[in-house]
Amino acid sequence: SGINAECYVTTENQEKYMSDFLEEASRTWDLVLITEYFDLSLVLLKRRFCLQFEDILYLRSLERIKKETVEEPYTLAKIAEMQKLDIALYDYFNATFWREVEKEEGIFEELAIFQKLNKQVQSFCVQGKTSWISSARS
């Protein structure tokens, strides 16, 4: 189950609500991947689930798109309130993530191998697409 944002906003004890949610989430979710450390997260996932490098390779396909700016005061206040949830979740699971990484001997060497392999695959796929596009135009 996820957090009920409306209950969080309307509860009188938001700290306890968040604490209870984080406690439940840590019991429910065995591993949380962190976007800023995506490759490292994948290597940790690989280790946890006995996967191979081939199982975690990926191609970048979408980049962040700039979104419209919100300026309505009521909406901004609601967003600020909701960001407290995001920040608490991020801080909690980021700390948990790094504790898990610290337990993994040799993970950074494995990360370097994965990044090199993934870069090769990305280059191959982009080159393959380029070759296919130019041959399709001929």
Side-chain angles (χ1 to χ4, degrees):
S1 73
I3 195 161
N4 183 326
E6 190 62 33
C7 286
Y8 170 78
V9 171
T10 59
T11 189
E12 290 190 21
N13 190 343
Q14 291 178 340
E15 293 290 324
K16 177 159 178 23
Y17 190 91
M18 177 53 70
S19 175
D20 290 348
F21 174 77
L22 290 174
E23 189 176 305
E24 176 65 25
S26 68
R27 284 194 304 268
T28 305
W29 302 330
D30 293 327
L31 178 65
V32 174
L33 307 182
I34 305 292
T35 305
E36 290 90 341
Y37 310 106
F38 189 66
D39 287 355
L40 184 57
S41 292
L42 288 176
V43 172
L44 189 57
L45 178 76
K46 173 190 168 291
R47 287 175 167 220
R48 286 291 164 81
F49 290 100
C50 300
L51 302 173
Q52 301 299 314
F53 281 126
E54 294 80 16
D55 298 321
I56 62 170
L57 293 171
Y58 67 94
L59 294 175
R60 292 187 187 272
S61 61
L62 298 174
E63 297 295 325
R64 287 186 178 226
I65 298 170
K66 187 176 179 184
K67 299 193 178 193
E68 291 183 34
T69 305
V70 176
E71 295 181 14
E72 185 180 327
Y74 174 79
T75 305
L76 288 172
K78 284 288 189 189
I79 290 171
E81 189 64 35
M82 297 308 295
Q83 283 180 336
K84 288 180 186 177
L85 287 170
D86 291 338
I87 291 167
L89 282 168
Y90 179 85
D91 288 348
Y92 180 83
F93 284 108
N94 188 47
T96 301
F97 173 80
W98 285 107
R99 280 193 300 275
E100 294 302 311
V101 166
E102 288 173 7
K103 295 178 191 175
E104 298 290 329
E105 189 175 319
I107 195 167
F108 291 102
E109 291 80 4
E110 192 171 340
L111 172 63
I113 294 166
F114 170 65
Q115 288 176 324
K116 182 178 179 183
L117 178 61
N118 204 56
K119 186 176 182 179
Q120 290 171 342
V121 168
Q122 297 230 10
S123 295
F124 175 81
C125 289
V126 168
Q127 182 182 19
K129 282 185 182 178
T130 305
S131 299
W132 179 80
I133 290 170
S134 35
S135 66
R137 290 182 180 168
S138 311

